[in-house]
Amino acid sequence: MSLDVNNIAEQASFQAFMNCYLREVEQGGWQTAQQWRQVYQSQHERDNTTLFAIKDDAWIVEIPLPHQSAKLAVEVTYRTQVGRHSFGRLFHYQAWQFLPQWSVIAPLNAVLLLVREMYVNAGYQDMAEKERELLRRILDSEQVMQRYVTARKDDERLQSLRFIDAEQALVFGHWQHPTPKSRQGMADYQHDDYAPELTGEFSLHYFQIHRSLISQRSALAITAEDMIRHSFAVGDLVTSEHVVLPMHPIQAQWLLHQDYVQALIAQRMIIDCGRRGIAMTATSSVRSLYHPELPWMYKFSIPIKITNSLRVNKRHELEAGVVMASLYRKTGFSERYPTFQVITDPAYITVDLPARAESGFEVIIRENPFPLGDDHDTVTIAALTQDPLLTSDSLLACHIKQLAERMQTSLPQTSMKWFARYWDCAIEPMIRLYDEHGIALEAHQQNSVLRFNSQGYPQTYYFRDNQGFYLSTAYATYLESLEPDSATVHDLYFDDQMICDRFAYYLMVNHLFSIIGRMGADQLIAESVLLHFVQQRLTALKQELTGAGHRFVASLLSKPSIPAKANLLTRVQDIDELMVENEQAVYTAFPNPLSSALPCSSLVGTESDVSQNNDEKAVVTEPSEVTNAIA
């Protein structure tokens, strides 16, 4: 890859978009580079040096564009079994030309052709406006990515395992999203201060709110207003009549432009106190803020569309956070499985206004398990598995290679042992939580935080997200006996079929497969070995589990596909999933590499095909080597 930051951002944007397209829209026609050359060589006898200088072990996937009498051919430099291919050069074939032949095409131009094809084929209402909206987000995402890559390309903190460094290292964003860095609503000048990728720090904006307008709740002995008072030293602003609310500065400016807020300010029910106090910094979600010396993190609404949605704290999320903080504590699950922890959101505070579900002042208060001095060797799975920027290795590959060198073991052995430890502290406990308590988690990679032990192996897994709980209706009586208030938060309960679908996507496709794909692409260990390990562990778990987890595991081992969130199709239809019933995005079917009906090798042909595909990259692991690694 060229070291030019524009090329890096363009290629990274294309890779995210193309993986979505292949998974959600069109699987394409796959051929080896050698087969592809044989088909088209005669058409390019005069110019075959550029178009066909592709290694024999690469693949080509052809994408038809029938509405444009054209097709694309994409070089696949790494073909995965779990959804994250790596791409090289792109070629365009226009059938209506006088002498039709393949020509090189830039990644962005290829994306524009694919977008045009989708909308011509789809026939959605308001198609032209939806297409323009998607194109705006694609361009915005790529331009933002260019800015972040330029700023961070020489920053050693991208390889850091300190909590906030890893939170702010996601320069490429969500690899399963077509617009991973879309930030509509964030002005150009605001990125330096408020974008986590640019590591800015900023003070908060404060308001005095008349107590009659305040609604707050806490699952702890301390109230939300006292958490704020102790965090930000705003005691001088607190009066017998007023409570102090901090606000993200971008949200504060939005609020000050609302008629209903201006009216309350005129009545002295709200007093604008401006910006002051200690500087906070953004975590990977942009709107959750951190300070290493505070016991709490603070999550605000912001008037910015990030990936799919406008980021607004909904009232039901506030209630759910407090209820789940209390309910999870009462299960005692983390006492029995101490390597598994949930970072709860035990308190909220907001302004209640008539006829408004949300006022815009909603503040969620989150535990901070990573204060100064205890914030090392801690990283999100999203940062760990992100593509490398200008180095040859991802953060995970760097870590595994250093670990292998220290332990004097082979890369496959070290990778297998690391993966087994991760399974034990993260994946198996989540399945057992669902089986024992009917609680499933939306454990996608950005909401999954991992802490390493002194050797460098996974020690503790942390889940965070008050929007990410699914309670089984079949367990409702039991859960309500533990925490009666759970009966009042109806949005938390789902039937097990929906839970199994969502849980399978977030836990497997989004989360675990990202680790498997990263290890495979980084030549640490073969994907097929890791998938076989997962099949074995799931088969053993199936014999032990007796509740909802048993049905979940059985479906993973038997169904030929896994329902997977279709971020591209969600964007094509311009759906804000946070604003629709059940926060339901578009879902599609992902071929299940864990199914007994679908052998692990079937997604890429035979095992010999895999070896041919990745001859230089293949990692052969003997069964005895795997057994020794896990032991």
Side-chain angles (χ1 to χ4, degrees), residues 31 34-45 47-48 51-52 60 62 71-73 93 100-102:
Q31 304 172 71
Q34 186 177 18
Q35 291 168 335
W36 191 68
R37 274 198 298 267
Q38 289 172 352
V39 172
Y40 293 106
Q41 189 80 41
S42 62
Q43 299 180 22
H44 293 271
E45 291 178 351
D47 181 22
N48 58 22
L51 294 180
F52 298 105
I60 297 291
E62 280 193 18
K71 51 189 171 182
L72 292 174
Y93 186 93
Q101 62 179 13
W102 292 100

Side-chain angles (χ1 to χ4, degrees), residues 447-618:
N447 282 341
S448 298
V449 181
L450 180 63
R451 172 166 280 166
F452 300 116
N453 64 17
S454 58
Q455 288 184 313
Y457 287 107
Q459 173 180 287
T460 308
Y461 169 86
Y462 298 86
F463 168 79
R464 60 177 176 194
D465 187 13
N466 68 349
Q467 297 169 261
F469 292 100
Y470 300 97
L471 305 187
S472 168
T473 53
Y475 288 68
T477 300
Y478 159 71
L479 293 171
E480 290 165 14
S481 71
L482 282 182
E483 176 51 67
D485 280 350
S486 68
T488 67
V489 188
H490 304 294
D491 292 325
L492 286 172
Y493 283 95
F494 299 86
D495 66 74
D496 281 307
Q497 183 57 58
M498 177 177 281
I499 291 176
C500 283
D501 289 350
R502 300 275 189 95
F503 196 26
Y505 164 67
Y506 284 108
L507 187 64
M508 294 294 159
V509 178
N510 185 298
H511 180 159
L512 192 63
F513 289 177
S514 71
I515 298 174
I516 293 173
R518 182 78 270 157
M519 285 186 163
D522 289 340
Q523 308 172 42
L524 301 175
I525 188 171
E527 289 182 7
S528 57
V529 174
L530 297 176
L531 288 168
H532 183 62
F533 169 87
V534 173
Q535 286 174 319
Q536 288 182 318
R537 287 299 180 95
L538 289 174
T539 300
L541 261 179
K542 183 182 173 184
Q543 307 307 314
E544 297 179 33
L545 305 179
T546 58
H550 177 88
R551 293 187 294 274
F552 172 69
V553 169
S555 69
L556 286 177
L557 291 171
S558 61
K559 291 186 176 181
S561 65
I562 298 174
K565 189 177 174 185
N567 284 308
L568 176 56
L569 294 180
T570 299
R571 277 273 39 82
V572 166
Q573 298 183 38
D574 196 21
I575 295 172
D576 185 332
E577 63 201 88
L578 298 184
M579 300 298 179
V580 296
E581 185 178 0
N582 290 330
E583 298 184 1
Q584 182 67 55
V586 178
Y587 273 69
T588 189
F590 182 89
N592 180 10
L594 303 172
S595 170
S596 58
L598 187 65
C600 289
S601 61
S602 66
L603 294 185
V604 291
T606 65
E607 287 297 332
S608 60
D609 289 335
V610 178
S611 298
Q612 180 185 15
N613 174 26
N614 299 303
D615 187 46
E616 296 177 348
K617 303 176 181 178

Side-chain angles (χ1 to χ4, degrees), residues 184-422:
Q184 285 184 316
M186 183 178 285
D188 183 71
Y189 73 90
Q190 293 175 326
H191 286 258
D192 285 338
D193 288 335
Y194 306 124
E197 298 84 356
L198 299 183
T199 70
E201 296 182 343
F202 53 93
S203 58
L204 301 181
H205 194 120
Y206 294 87
F207 293 91
Q208 288 177 303
I209 311 291
H210 196 275
R211 288 185 178 275
S212 63
L213 301 179
I214 289 291
S215 175
Q216 62 179 311
R217 189 176 178 185
S218 174
L220 305 177
I222 184 173
T223 64
E225 65 175 289
D226 283 339
M227 292 177 185
I228 292 169
R229 184 163 53 85
H230 293 155
S231 293
F232 300 115
V234 291
D236 59 313
L237 299 179
V238 178
T239 71
S240 59
E241 293 185 347
H242 292 95
V243 174
V244 176
L245 259 62
M247 203 57 49
H248 192 293
I250 296 179
Q251 180 71 4
Q253 290 305 307
W254 181 87
L255 286 165
L256 289 170
H257 283 80
Q258 305 309 305
D259 291 343
Y260 63 91
V261 175
Q262 293 172 2
L264 290 168
I265 290 175
Q267 299 167 27
R268 303 288 292 173
M269 299 293 283
I270 294 178
I271 300 172
D272 179 9
C273 302
R275 294 176 64 173
R276 57 181 283 177
I278 61 173
M280 306 289 285
T281 192
T283 62
S284 58
S285 71
V286 182
R287 63 196 181 112
S288 295
L289 308 185
Y290 169 85
H291 188 285
E293 297 179 2
L294 296 184
W296 313 105
M297 291 184 254
Y298 289 82
K299 182 177 179 181
F300 301 97
S301 296
I302 50 176
I304 298 170
K305 287 185 177 180
I306 300 174
T307 59
N308 286 347
S309 304
L310 186 66
R311 300 299 163 166
V312 175
N313 288 335
K314 308 293 285 183
R315 185 57 186 261
H316 69 86
E317 295 166 8
L318 274 60
E319 299 293 344
V322 174
V323 169
M324 287 308 305
S326 178
L327 174 59
Y328 183 75
R329 185 176 66 251
K330 291 176 180 178
T331 67
F333 189 81
S334 286
E335 284 72 34
R336 294 194 301 280
Y337 301 91
T339 63
F340 179 86
Q341 299 292 323
V342 172
I343 302 172
T344 62
D345 297 342
Y348 73 80
I349 188 167
T350 188
V351 173
D352 258 348
L353 297 177
R356 291 186 179 275
E358 291 86 29
S359 64
F361 286 92
E362 288 72 26
V363 181
I364 293 171
I365 305 176
R366 172 172 292 170
E367 295 174 307
N368 177 17
F370 315 114
L372 186 66
D374 200 20
D375 58 348
H376 55 278
D377 295 322
T378 302
V379 59
T380 64
I381 298 303
L384 200 62
T385 60
Q386 180 177 233
D387 281 335
L389 182 49
L390 296 180
T391 61
S392 58
D393 289 328
S394 68
L395 185 55
L396 178 59
C398 287
H399 182 75
I400 294 292
K401 288 178 179 180
Q402 292 168 4
L403 184 57
E405 186 175 347
R406 285 200 305 271
M407 306 304 291
Q408 295 186 331
T409 52
S410 71
L411 284 177
Q413 281 182 311
T414 308
S415 300
M416 191 71 255
K417 186 171 182 178
W418 190 99
F419 189 79
R421 295 282 184 90
Y422 186 76

